[in-house]
């Protein structure tokens, strides 16, 4: 497997982020890079941390837990995979942001476990804007009810929306990023909710996502090579 120099890739990525921001007049400080380390060993995560990376994304609870046991809860650990309700308790003490809440019962479980550990857990609502059968996320028509239900929970903080478009070339997924932003704007104007965050864009399409308003991008392959 090709091993990339993580520090060099990070530097390159930051340059690309800054250029995408410049194209649409955005401040790069408004874009958080989440380095996705699923299926990579602890040593690779450590390399990213040493290079100054603060935000780490993981997809599987057990793998994330093992890495947190080794590296501590200092990094900002983002959960970006499918989350089963019976696993929420394992990540509740330290998870920085859960990107993939698509069901009110999952939000309730997060609320319950957050209360038990005496904190408020930030979450994003995952929306399946392309309507793909195999993808997680609520239907766009359900987003409003989900947002209103989750926002009533005392130990959950709804920060915004997340989406995973089809694996198509970047320009072809632009409409899905645009749609997520439109949905967020609509939710904000129809309710009193503040939804500042949009988690969208991966290695192949983060530049387009930034142009369309992403505040969090989730990048694995471009930093660490193929999994
Ligand atoms: C794996 C994964 C990523 C990173 O994908 P790359 O194409 O490797 O950058 C981002 N988001 C989610 C939800 C993922 O599962």
């Amino acid at each position: 497997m090709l091993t990339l120099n993580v520090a060099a890739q990070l530097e390159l990525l930051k340059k690309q982020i800054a250029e995408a921001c410049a194209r649409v007049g955005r401040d790069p400080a408004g874009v958080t890079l989440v380095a996705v380390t699923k299926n990579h060993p602890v040593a690779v995560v450590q390399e990213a941390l040493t290079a100054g990376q603060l935000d780490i994304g993981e997809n599987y609870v057990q793998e994330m837990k093992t890495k947190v046991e080794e590296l501590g809860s200092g990094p900002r650990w983002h959960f970006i995979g499918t989350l089963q309700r019976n696993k929420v308790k394992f990540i509740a003490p330290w998870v920085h942001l859960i990107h993939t809440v698509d069901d009110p019962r999952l939000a309730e479980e997060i609320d319950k476990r957050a209360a038990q550990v005496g904190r408020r857990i930030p979450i994003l609502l995952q929306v399946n804007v392309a309507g793909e059968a195999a993808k997680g996320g609520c239907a766009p028509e359900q987003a409003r009810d989900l947002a209103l239900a989750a926002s009533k929970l005392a130990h959950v903080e709804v920060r915004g929306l997340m989406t995973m478009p089809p694996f198509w070339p970047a320009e072809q997924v632009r409409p899905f990023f645009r749609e997520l932003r439109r949905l967020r704007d609509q939710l904000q104007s129809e309710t009193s909710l503040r939804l500042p965050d949009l988690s969208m864009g991966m290695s192949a399409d983060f530049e387009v996502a930034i142009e369309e308003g992403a505040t969090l991008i989730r990048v694995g392959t471009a930093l660490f090579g193929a999994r």
Side-chain angles (χ1 to χ4, degrees), residues 36 38 59 80 162 164 202-203 218-221 227:
V36 177
K38 62 165 173 253
N59 287 62
I80 65 168
M162 176 271 202
M164 247 182 113
M202 318 196 331
S203 291
R218 311 176 309 268
V219 178
T221 308
R227 289 178 292 269

Side-chain angles (χ1 to χ4, degrees), residues 33-49:
L33 167 63
V34 179
V36 177
T37 49
K38 62 165 173 253
N39 300 335
H40 288 289
V42 170
V44 167
V45 187
Q46 183 60 64
E47 211 180 326
L49 297 174

Side-chain angles (χ1 to χ4, degrees), residues 190-207:
E190 289 180 1
T191 68
S192 59
L193 300 177
R194 233 188 104 259
L195 303 167
D197 283 319
L198 291 173
S199 170
M200 53 189 199
M202 318 196 331
S203 291
D205 51 25
F206 69 89
E207 290 161 299

Side-chain angles (χ1 to χ4, degrees), residues 15-25 206-208 210-211:
K15 199 167 147 265
Q16 292 168 329
I17 291 169
E19 284 166 3
C21 285
R23 284 197 290 277
V24 290
F206 69 89
E207 290 161 299
V208 170
I210 289 170
E211 289 169 9

